[in-house]
Amino acid sequence: MAEDHDHDDHQLKERLLKKEEYYPNCPGCKVEQYKDLQRGYPVRDLFRIWIIVVASALPIQSLYPYLYFMIRDLKIAEQEADIGYYAGFVGAAYMLGRALMSIIWGIMADRYGRKPILIIGTAAMLIFNILFGLSSNFWMAVITRFLLGCFNSILGTIKAYATELFREEHQALGLSTVSQAWGIGMIIGPSVGGFLAQPAEKYPHLISKNSFLGRFPYFLPCFCTSLFALGVLILSLWLPETLHKHDGNIENNSDSFEALEKAVEKQETKTEKNSKLSLLKNWPLMSSIIIYCIFSLHDTAYSEIFSLWAESPRKLGGLSYTTEDVGEVLAISGFGLLFFQTFLYPYVEKLIGPVLVARIGGLISIPILASYPFIAALSGVTLWFLLNFASLLKNTLSLSIVTALFIMQNTAVEQEHRGAANGIAMTGVSLANAVGPAIGGTLISWAGNRRGASILPGAQMVFFILNVIEVIGVLMTFKPFLTSPKDR
């Protein structure tokens, strides 16, 4: 019996030590060695992730400044009041396509690797975005946006990639870079669309109405974002692959007793994390995804509402802003996001943890949202300062919440399931994002018809409903709803 026990111990040691073996043809093992040798700030890797995510985010909202005019020019709406209705189909097509395909792309990323999925997504984005700019009828616009959503496999995959590419102390920075770049892209995208659409009308002394850009007035912003995507596609060819692919060609990396102890610790940790439950029964994962969907619904509705509210006339409770004025506010918010997410967020997350980041961020957002209707009563420098301050703080908190939830999702599963887990998250959030703009537009229209109400008149009701969604998200960050892998 003692010999059998010793033999079992010997086999266990061999099996555990195998976890520390190096497979020379495995790209994931090469990345692990690269991380072990890495010193200092991972600037190059952060830039790679940042530029890929920005390229992915640019086309998503770049159409909103000109979508109204595009639908008008496609002559699908019988009357002007119907333009918003048809514009909703174009906006929802992208999110519907992404929702349908996110899980499939996640599974493929777990099977074939992160790098090929990122390359496919970037190439598809380049192609379908240009085709959208060349749309000559309504259904071509809907189909190209739908296909763009179907093949946009980048965000879910890059979150898993960012978790695996960095050492543990830089993982929060990697995921904050994802959310920061996403926010920057979502802010820059509408600016690009607003400034570059209809160039023949804006710059008649440079571009004739009979020229190519005159006949396709919405091609230029699509072309510019696709040109940026082409550069990113070329850069992506040199990305390191992080998925482990072991083919049996083994080279021992260590056979020391210290390696054995490290392997035992890893095996114990993995045993705790890797239960036999499926991803859908992994409550730490699913609870963080559900909260992510709630906050995403809120954020997309807020983005739609903010632009419509700011551009609506003063008599309706808005600011009478132009598209350039709104773009300026969003640009200032973008610079603030860049600074906070790069230099401050990793330290905040390390200090208080992702759960408290999400919870406190949501709580602070509530009074900010409630202040917007009262800011509208101001004017001049006071209005400019307070509006920019509120927008900067609100957008920074929103991205901090999203980043914290990214971290919770990716730490709830092992590497071999991260692609699929992020695919599930992207499916849910795509559905939320498809609903959000519709809710936002409906609320603004409804608020315009109840300006004389005795309770929460006009825009006050809009921002109150946004706060209700925010409160629901905050409450979900408490136990027993939100749990961590250690609580399982």
Side-chain angles (χ1 to χ4, degrees):
M1 293 291 292
E3 290 180 359
D4 291 340
H5 186 267
D6 290 342
H7 178 69
D8 291 339
D9 284 346
H10 179 70
Q11 285 187 325
L12 177 61
K13 289 179 181 179
E14 285 186 343
R15 180 168 56 86
L16 292 175
L17 279 171
K18 191 175 182 180
K19 300 293 182 182
E20 296 300 306
E21 289 169 341
Y22 170 63
Y23 293 71
N25 294 324
C26 171
C29 288
K30 292 178 181 178
V31 169
E32 292 299 324
Q33 282 200 332
Y34 164 73
K35 289 193 294 185
D36 290 339
L37 297 173
Q38 190 181 69
R39 297 294 182 270
Y41 213 63
V43 176
R44 183 178 64 176
D45 294 330
L46 289 171
F47 175 74
R48 284 169 169 170
I49 286 176
W50 186 88
I51 199 168
I52 290 171
V53 177
V54 169
S56 174
L58 283 177
I60 295 178
Q61 291 196 19
S62 63
L63 79 163
Y64 287 120
Y66 61 78
L67 183 58
Y68 178 93
F69 302 101
M70 186 180 193
I71 298 299
R72 181 199 64 187
D73 294 346
L74 293 177
K75 303 184 186 305
I76 184 68
E78 295 182 359
Q79 54 186 353
E80 191 174 10
D82 295 334
I83 290 178
Y85 172 76
Y86 289 100
F89 281 103
V90 178
Y94 171 86
M95 293 300 176
L96 178 60
R98 195 171 75 171
L100 291 175
M101 294 297 294
S102 289
I103 293 179
I104 295 174
W105 286 119
I107 294 172
M108 292 179 67
D110 286 338
R111 178 170 298 179
Y112 301 109
R114 319 305 190 201
K115 179 178 176 178
I117 303 305
L118 292 174
I119 290 175
I120 291 171
T122 307
M125 178 173 58
L126 187 159
I127 295 168
F128 292 120
N129 196 41
I130 284 182
L131 291 175
F132 176 74
L134 295 172
S135 295
S136 56
N137 59 70
F138 172 74
W139 289 110
M140 181 178 177
V142 170
I143 292 171
T144 51
R145 285 291 290 184
F146 175 76
L147 292 174
L148 178 62
C150 286
F151 284 89
N152 193 325
S153 55
I154 294 175
L155 185 58
T157 305
I158 201 70
K159 287 191 290 182
Y161 187 78
T163 305
E164 298 158 0
L165 185 61
F166 298 104
R167 296 162 65 100
E168 186 175 351
E169 62 266 29
H170 292 141
Q171 285 181 359
L173 179 61
L175 287 171
S176 71
T177 300
V178 172
S179 58
Q180 173 224 86
W182 187 258
I184 295 296
M186 299 293 262
I187 290 170
I188 294 176
S191 300
V192 172
F195 283 112
L196 298 183
Q198 299 173 311
E201 294 184 17
K202 294 177 180 176
Y203 315 106
H205 57 291
L206 295 176
I207 301 171
S208 168
K209 289 188 176 181
N210 296 322
S211 66
F212 177 82
L213 292 179
R215 289 183 287 114
F216 296 96
Y218 311 105
F219 174 78
L220 186 58
C222 296
F223 174 76
C224 289
T225 53
S226 291
L227 190 64
F228 183 76
L230 176 61
V232 173
L233 176 63
I234 295 171
L235 176 68
S236 300
L237 298 176
W238 283 273
L239 286 176
E241 176 58 68
T242 59
L243 187 66
H244 287 273
K245 299 177 182 179
H246 297 167
D247 57 4
N249 190 6
I250 304 169
E251 177 183 317
N252 284 336
N253 195 37
S254 174
D255 57 358
S256 64
F257 180 74
E258 289 80 5
L260 174 60
E261 288 186 321
K262 187 176 179 182
V264 172
E265 291 176 2
K266 283 189 174 182
Q267 184 67 17
E268 290 174 349
T269 304
K270 188 170 182 179
T271 301
E272 291 177 3
K273 289 185 176 180
N274 255 355
S275 68
K276 294 181 180 179
L277 297 174
S278 67
L279 288 178
L280 294 177
K281 293 182 180 179
N282 181 340
W283 187 244
L285 170 66
M286 296 308 300
S287 59
S288 61
I289 288 177
I290 292 171
I291 299 171
Y292 178 33
C293 292
I294 295 294
F295 280 113
S296 293
L297 171 64
H298 170 276
D299 291 344
T300 51
Y302 166 79
S303 297
E304 178 87 359
I305 286 169
F306 179 82
S307 295
L308 292 174
W309 168 73
E311 293 172 356
S312 62
R314 286 275 187 175
K315 64 181 181 180
L316 298 180
L319 302 177
S320 297
Y321 268 25
T322 65
T323 53
E324 287 80 8
D325 293 329
V326 173
E328 179 184 323
V329 174
L330 294 179
I332 292 173
S333 297
F335 283 115
L337 287 173
L338 181 64
F339 177 81
F340 180 83
Q341 290 286 321
T342 302
F343 299 106
L344 299 180
Y345 179 83
Y347 299 103
V348 174
E349 191 275 334
K350 187 176 181 180
L351 181 65
I352 64 176
V355 176
L356 279 179
V357 168
R359 191 177 298 158
I360 294 173
L363 288 171
I364 297 176
S365 297
I366 294 171
I368 295 173
L369 286 169
S371 71
Y372 276 119
F374 303 100
I375 290 176
L378 304 173
S379 61
V381 176
T382 306
L383 169 63
W384 182 90
F385 176 79
L386 289 180
L387 181 66
N388 278 284
F389 178 76
S391 175
L392 170 60
L393 194 55
K394 175 67 181 73
N395 283 296
T396 300
L397 291 171
S398 294
L399 275 182
S400 297
I401 292 169
V402 168
T403 304
L405 292 168
F406 282 175
I407 294 172
M408 285 186 271
Q409 290 166 31
N410 283 280
T411 55
V413 291
E414 288 296 315
Q415 185 195 48
E416 60 267 24
H417 300 305
R418 281 181 189 146
N422 281 293
I424 294 173
M426 290 310 302
T427 298
V429 82
S430 295
L431 292 173
N433 287 344
V435 173
I439 291 177
T442 302
L443 286 177
I444 286 291
S445 298
W446 178 53
N449 295 322
R450 59 181 312 279
R451 297 188 305 278
S454 57
I455 299 176
L456 298 174
Q460 290 185 34
M461 177 60 76
V462 175
F463 290 102
F464 172 77
I465 293 175
L466 281 179
N467 264 334
V468 170
I469 301 174
E470 189 85 13
V471 168
I472 293 172
V474 170
L475 291 176
M476 285 182 170
T477 63
F478 289 89
K479 293 181 180 180
F481 189 86
L482 179 64
T483 58
S484 69
K486 294 179 181 178
D487 299 326
R488 291 172 63 185

